[in-house]
Amino acid sequence: MANQTRRRFLENTMLATAAATAGGLMGQPILQAAKANKSANETVRVAVLGVNGRGRSHINGFTGVENCDVVAVCDPDETVGHTKGVENVHKKTGKKPTYYQDLRRVMDDDSIDVVSIATPNHWHSLAAIWAMQAGKDVYVEKPVSHNIREGRVMVDVARKEGRVCQAGTQIRSNPGVIEGIKFLKEGGLGELQVARALCYKRRKSIGHVGETPVPKGVDYDLWLGPTPLRADVPRKSLHYDWHWQWEYGNGDLGNQGIHQMDVARWGIGADTLADSVISFGGRFGYVDDGETPNTEMSIMEYGDKLLVFETRGLPTKHYLGGDAGGNDVGNIFHCENGYMKCSYTSAVVFDPDGNEIKRFSEGDDSYHYNNFVDAVRSRRVEDLNGEINEGHLSSALCHLANISYRLGESSDFGAAPAGLAGNEYAVDVFERTKSHLKDNNVDPSQVKFAMGPKLMVDKKTESFIDNAAANALTTREYRKGYEVPAQA
């Protein structure tokens, strides 16, 4: 590929930093050699699970990597599996991959080296665990888990089985953002004060349709997997609206927002969960079959640094306005000598008055797929830019915030709640949220919002301190035959 030389240079120069922040990976045993140490001329054989949404990006990504073949596609929807999977790969490569409806048959296929997972969230961890236990390396979409505990088990399985496992947080491989974060950590703007993550992404109502029949050709038992068995689809769209229901998705915080959460934690330089979390919000502007909030604000403490996350699904202006210094889906790092804005592809540095002073820009999603395949060949887990422990920690931060929100008490908009008092950034977010609702013809005095409790986190055990209700939400009940193991 055209950017191969620059990509390899940047990866090599960042290797020491990546290894130091990857959760002690340098001390891990050498990865298993089975299907390993492939030369550049040997083909890496990939199976893609779930081909309706992100799976199509996986197909594009892996078919674009040298000596990498998508040899199988899997989807419980036969129509999708053939039209968006088999036919898509055939059109791109001239080769027809094998179609599987049942992902367990993918695990049984010894000719497959890599399993690439783009299923709904409730399948991410279990599919990855099964694949690694079957001796395959894994690329798994964000969030890498549906809850905190299964994410940690997935990391432990990767260690135990000696597998290469990459989280689909592709910004981690973008040279511009890599250089920007390096600049930030080296003190280019002085002391970091607040890492702000923004998910200002328009989400329309999914309507209210009640129970709908399962589409023809769908093995719904397999689609449901770890979740409770049911005979109907509780939403209009089987293939997307699950994002907004707790059984299957994690709202936009765990959908789009996980990318920005990951960059925020990366910029802070944290290799653990936060010390505390508090969230508030609601689903405003319409009544539909969605359960997750379309407006959610979360504040996390990392010592003397704050991570502030804002999710807005109703129409909204950029944070900091619409000029070059503003942002809507991305990150802003507030520092003592200015701020830095990060998007998917770039990092731009501004002085305190909003004047651009430095820009780092280059890259696309292909970098992340290439990085993963390089690590599959080298068997060096520390070569990964988005190693699974990084993906787990950032996904778990989203889960922490959602747990606080889900435990929230119905509250009136008025003065900032006591739980936010004394934190100028939290109060600012609260007041701007009220203004945002007014801009969308939602009268804050006429609606309630959920004010979550401030939860203290035991970072070592990845659980909450003295809160049984919160700890109950760090896992789920699994349907028989689809259980995530208690430990690796």
Side-chain angles (χ1 to χ4, degrees), residues 119-124 142-143 145-147 150 223 227 235 240-255 291-293 398-399 402 406 476:
T119 63
N121 298 359
H122 64 278
W123 259 113
H124 285 179
K142 50 71 193 172
S145 58
H146 186 260
N147 61 65
E150 68 182 23
W223 191 96
T227 70
R235 71 205 78 86
Y240 197 82
D241 291 346
W242 54 265
H243 281 293
W244 324 125
Q245 294 182 319
W246 293 118
E247 285 280 13
Y248 320 105
N250 304 95
D252 230 358
L253 181 58
N255 177 36
E291 299 170 344
T292 64
C398 297
H399 302 327
N402 278 335
R406 294 180 71 180
R476 71 181 305 160

Side-chain angles (χ1 to χ4, degrees), residues 195 197 253 261 277-281 296-300 306-311 397-398 400-402 404-405 420 426 429:
L253 181 58
M261 185 71 82
V277 60
I278 186 169
S279 296
F280 68 91
E296 183 178 11
M297 313 298 152
S298 305
I299 298 94
M300 303 182 188
L306 286 181
L307 193 165
V308 177
F309 203 108
E310 300 184 42
T311 301
L397 289 180
C398 297
L400 292 182
N402 278 335
S404 174
Y405 169 81
L420 305 180
V429 167

Side-chain angles (χ1 to χ4, degrees), residues 84-142:
K84 297 181 180 179
V86 175
E87 292 178 15
N88 189 12
V89 175
H90 184 229
K91 192 177 297 182
K92 290 180 177 299
T93 68
K95 304 174 184 177
K96 278 195 173 184
T98 301
Y99 166 70
Y100 293 102
Q101 188 172 37
D102 189 336
L103 79 173
R104 290 168 293 195
R105 304 293 77 81
V106 173
M107 312 310 171
D108 294 339
D109 188 340
D110 290 335
S111 72
I112 292 171
D113 303 307
V114 166
V115 172
S116 182
I117 301 167
T119 63
N121 298 359
H122 64 278
W123 259 113
H124 285 179
S125 290
L126 184 58
I129 289 167
W130 282 356
M132 290 186 288
Q133 289 174 336
K136 306 177 193 307
D137 297 316
V138 169
Y139 182 107
V140 58
E141 263 303 326
K142 50 71 193 172

Side-chain angles (χ1 to χ4, degrees), residues 213-225:
V214 177
K216 184 179 179 181
V218 174
D219 188 325
Y220 197 41
D221 180 274
L222 285 172
W223 191 96
L224 290 168

Side-chain angles (χ1 to χ4, degrees), residues 277-282 284 295-299 401-421 426-427 429-430 448-455:
V277 60
I278 186 169
S279 296
F280 68 91
F284 302 115
T295 306
E296 183 178 11
M297 313 298 152
S298 305
I299 298 94
N402 278 335
I403 288 170
S404 174
Y405 169 81
R406 294 180 71 180
L407 295 176
E409 296 183 354
S410 181
S411 304
D412 293 313
F413 278 106
L420 305 180
V427 173
V429 167
F430 182 79
K448 302 279 189 179
F449 74 99
M451 183 67 234
K454 184 174 183 177
L455 301 172

